Amino acid sequence: MPAPTPLTQCDPPTLDWSRPGTPAAKDFGDIYFSTDGGLDEARIVFLQGCDLPNAWQNKRVFTVGELGFGSGLNFLATCQMWEATKPKGGRLHFVSIEKFPFDQEQLARALSAWPELSVFADQLINAWPGRVRGLHRLHFGDVTLTLIHDDIEAGLGAINGLVDAWFLDGFSPSRNPDMWSASVMQLIAQRSAAAARLATFTVAGAVRIALKDAGFTPQKMPGFGRKRERLEAVYQGPKNPTQHTEFHQPLIIGAGIAGASLARAFMRRGVLPRMISRGMETAASANAAALIKPRLDLQDRPESRFFLASYLYALQAYQDSGGIIAKGVTHLPKSDADRIRFEKLVTQAPLSPEHLDLAGGALLLGSSLVIDPDVIRHNWLNGIEIEEREVNSLSDLDHDGSIIVAAGFGVKELVSNTDLGLRYSRGQLTWAKGELASPVTYGGYALPLDNKLLLGATHGRLSDGDPYAPTVEDDKSNLENYRKHVGQDIQPVAIPSHTSVRVTTADTLPLLDELDHGTWLLSGLGSRGFVFAPLLAEALVSRICGESSPIDPQVWARFGRR
């Protein structure tokens, strides 16, 4: 059995900045864009080569797939053209694969050469996920960018939507043959919409043959700058099955963070959902504060990459929405084993140092957040009328569109006819009097709020009594846990404790699945609902709307019923 692969960031590109006008990749002996004018090259070779902007007129969603994101110049040139020529109500989805992603400083330096693109470049640089492995979804108004930081064939395997236009912009086939292989062209064809167009700067014979064998009709065209010729191609192969697109109003059951994340994803697409909620009094999303910090894994597994992607996506979502109480969380070690694990994590560096570092034996999560759930929910549900009532059975609902159950503990009754393998536990929060400079976690957590501390959260089995009734024993447990790991003596204050029910799965992974045709379930988020929900909701809405998902198919399969 092979040894586990450690989860690290992608290898950085080795850049040479000595050439005027463009960085070069030392390992490939090639430049990122033409010294004759990189922006003009992007417009002629790729935009004109794929018949843009004509091709996206009358398209509700237009998808561009790219091999080789590099500096992002093609993406920004596409954004500029989209802004000037986009169809009314249209949306652009740009999916790009890059094995050696820039860091934020390199990206800013490369793009500084194009001041006419600065309005788009600044947004990209600010949202940049760095060299973190896996899929990353970024939003810029009606433009969605999905970055795939991975090998080329694995990256293409992660694209599960149909692409209308392809930009093939890897380094020269003679220097980077893996990106131009026959198997890569077959994967491209399998993900191509009917009559999809393809453009590239190379006219290498092996590339033209591979494209023909995959179902494209390539044609040489006048090149740009010093290159005499370039290539355009149209997909003529077997028609790939189109994905279902839901036009009916969707119904969301539950208005906690999962429901609010779903509503936000639908509204980004111009779809106003219908919502039903039984109220927020006992919901976990009604806690006074929530932690946004990464779930960290030493091994490189599909779900480990999802943990990082969901964390980065959540950070961006909350930073764009307000409601941030504090930034920076310290994870205290509870044992020598914790200290050793923390050192391994920082050494492997699955995240950059601003997210993950060591400080006095503790794990410093510098970008992690404490947020106000009420503010987030209010902002994300603004403009949606929520019908407050109990729903005892899905069969009682009269609705023609998609139904998504995101009801937390309510799923136990709503989906009582199916064994979902879910587990339920009580989580109680306790208010205390004490001083703490910044938030800390230690298995539990302590959050400074309004000159008090919010301590949590217990993990207790459900009994026959009221699952939401606070207990003295749970308050004592939270206080003792704090004293033990933080080393300070504190006293409770006369503020009622809040108790909710946590829903988890046996393997602690989320549950995201279609229960019946058009009826979906989003559950099992455990204690990480505010981290997982935004990306899971975006993935589910992408699936319902027939768009490429921000979650790798391998991960999606892990989240189904098991």
Side-chain angles (χ1 to χ4, degrees):
M1 186 174 181
T5 302
L7 181 57
T8 62
Q9 294 179 74
C10 292
D11 292 334
T14 306
L15 300 181
D16 175 4
W17 297 92
S18 62
R19 292 172 175 80
T22 179
K26 292 181 181 179
D27 295 338
F28 294 93
D30 205 351
I31 56 177
Y32 277 89
F33 38 78
S34 172
T35 55
D36 295 323
L39 183 54
D40 288 336
E41 178 188 39
R43 289 167 176 159
I44 292 173
V45 174
F46 298 108
L47 303 184
Q48 180 181 316
C50 285
D51 192 31
L52 301 178
N54 294 329
W56 60 43
Q57 300 304 321
N58 302 316
K59 282 268 192 176
R60 189 178 63 85
V61 179
F62 189 87
T63 301
V64 175
E66 180 184 50
L67 275 55
F69 187 79
S71 67
L73 182 59
N74 293 338
F75 169 66
L76 297 181
T78 307
C79 288
Q80 186 184 52
M81 177 178 280
W82 173 262
E83 188 63 26
T85 65
K86 61 187 176 184
K88 184 178 180 180
R91 294 178 51 248
L92 174 67
H93 193 169
F94 198 102
V95 186
S96 187
I97 304 169
E98 178 58 61
K99 185 177 181 180
F100 302 100
F102 285 25
D103 62 28
Q104 196 173 42
E105 182 179 348
Q106 291 168 332
L107 189 71
R109 182 176 180 181
L111 295 178
S112 65
W114 315 107
E116 61 265 57
L117 299 176
S118 61
V119 65
F120 307 104
D122 290 347
Q123 295 178 64
L124 176 64
I125 293 164
N126 289 336
W128 188 245
R131 296 188 290 107
V132 178
R133 291 187 187 273
L135 276 68
H136 305 284
R137 177 151 290 185
L138 311 177
H139 300 288
F140 310 99
D142 54 16
V143 176
T144 294
L145 170 63
T146 301
L147 292 167
I148 305 177
H149 290 169
D150 209 339
D151 295 334
I152 187 64
E153 293 202 18
L156 282 167
I159 299 175
N160 53 11
L162 297 182
V163 173
D164 300 296
W166 290 97
F167 299 172
L168 272 55
D169 196 23
F171 295 121
S172 170
S174 62
R175 296 182 171 96
N176 188 22
D178 290 347
M179 189 171 277
W180 305 90
S181 69
S183 59
V184 165
M185 300 308 158
Q186 292 291 337
L187 288 169
I188 288 173
Q190 292 165 17
R191 286 150 183 81
S192 293
R197 299 183 67 95
L198 180 149
T200 182
F201 60 86
T202 184
V203 293
V207 173
R208 287 186 282 118
I209 292 171
L211 284 171
K212 286 180 180 178
D213 291 345
F216 287 88
T217 55
Q219 181 180 5
K220 291 182 181 180
M221 301 295 288
F224 174 82
R226 303 172 196 179
K227 294 180 179 177
R228 290 188 306 163
E229 296 174 310
R230 58 185 173 86
L231 209 62
E232 294 181 8
V234 179
Y235 181 63
Q236 306 285 5
K239 187 175 180 181
N240 294 312
T242 57
Q243 293 168 288
H244 175 68
T245 301
E246 179 62 69
F247 295 102
H248 297 289
Q249 183 184 38
L251 170 62
I252 302 169
I253 303 176
I257 188 57
S261 296
L262 288 162
R264 176 175 178 263
F266 276 119
M267 287 192 288
R268 174 174 286 114
R269 293 159 172 83
V271 177
L272 187 68
R274 174 187 170 198
M275 297 193 74
I276 298 175
S277 172
R278 65 178 182 181
M280 296 298 299
E281 293 80 7
T282 57
S285 296
N287 290 344
L291 267 173
I292 311 301
K293 68 186 188 74
R295 178 173 170 177
L296 298 166
D297 197 331
L298 288 166
Q299 297 181 22
D300 187 0
R301 302 178 294 174
E303 59 267 35
S304 305
R305 296 188 182 192
F306 163 78
F307 298 153
L308 300 183
S310 64
Y311 161 71
L312 294 176
Y313 187 80
L315 288 185
Q316 195 65 51
Y318 298 130
Q319 287 166 353
D320 291 344
S321 303
I324 295 176
I325 297 172
K327 183 177 180 180
V329 175
T330 302
H331 191 141
L332 303 175
K334 297 189 293 182
S335 63
D336 289 339
D338 275 354
R339 293 183 180 88
I340 293 171
R341 183 172 184 272
F342 290 173
E343 289 175 1
K344 286 182 178 179
L345 283 168
V346 172
T347 300
Q348 287 183 198
L351 293 165
S352 54
E354 66 263 27
H355 296 287
L356 185 65
D357 209 346
L358 278 177
L363 203 59
L364 185 61
L365 307 171
S367 297
S368 292
L369 302 174
V370 179
I371 63 169
D372 184 330
D374 281 347
V375 172
I376 297 298
R377 288 183 55 259
H378 177 268
N379 290 341
W380 289 3
L381 296 175
N382 186 32
I384 296 179
E385 291 187 14
I386 302 174
E387 184 181 349
E388 291 204 3
R389 66 179 177 91
E390 289 280 353
V391 177
N392 298 316
S393 172
L394 294 179
S395 61
D396 295 339
L397 296 170
D398 181 17
H399 189 74
D400 292 331
S402 294
I403 298 173
I404 309 173
V405 180
F409 187 33
V411 71
K412 188 175 184 181
E413 296 178 354
L414 280 171
V415 197
S416 58
N417 61 336
T418 304
D419 183 9
L420 300 173
L422 293 172
R423 302 178 177 185
Y424 309 95
S425 62
R426 283 169 39 89
Q428 183 165 315
L429 303 182
T430 303
W431 290 96
K433 185 178 181 180
E435 294 184 3
L436 197 61
S438 61
V440 296
T441 62
Y442 39 81
Y445 56 80
L447 311 179
L449 296 172
D450 299 326
N451 299 315
K452 297 178 289 296
L453 295 179
L454 182 63
L455 310 180
T458 58
H459 288 259
R461 292 183 178 181
L462 295 188
S463 63
D464 293 335
D466 182 357
Y468 303 112
T471 68
V472 174
E473 291 76 13
D474 280 357
D475 283 337
K476 288 181 178 179
S477 176
N478 281 331
L479 292 165
E480 180 54 35
N481 205 24
Y482 178 88
R483 294 186 186 107
K484 178 180 178 181
H485 296 293
V486 182
Q488 296 177 356
D489 190 30
I490 53 175
Q491 300 298 321
V493 296
I495 299 177
S497 300
H498 184 260
T499 305
S500 55
V501 176
R502 188 184 294 109
V503 183
T504 59
T505 60
D507 58 11
T508 71
L509 296 179
L511 180 56
L512 181 63
D513 204 357
E514 191 171 18
L515 299 174
D516 197 0
H517 181 67
T519 300
W520 298 85
L521 176 66
L522 174 54
S523 188
L525 306 186
S527 58
R528 296 185 179 272
F530 281 88
V531 179
F532 290 165
L535 187 57
L536 289 171
E538 173 67 13
L540 179 50
V541 172
S542 295
R543 176 69 66 92
I544 291 172
C545 294
E547 301 171 9
S548 188
S549 172
I551 293 181
D552 188 293
Q554 293 184 65
V555 179
W556 184 282
R558 293 294 311 274
F559 293 166
R561 279 172 284 179
R562 59 246 184 216

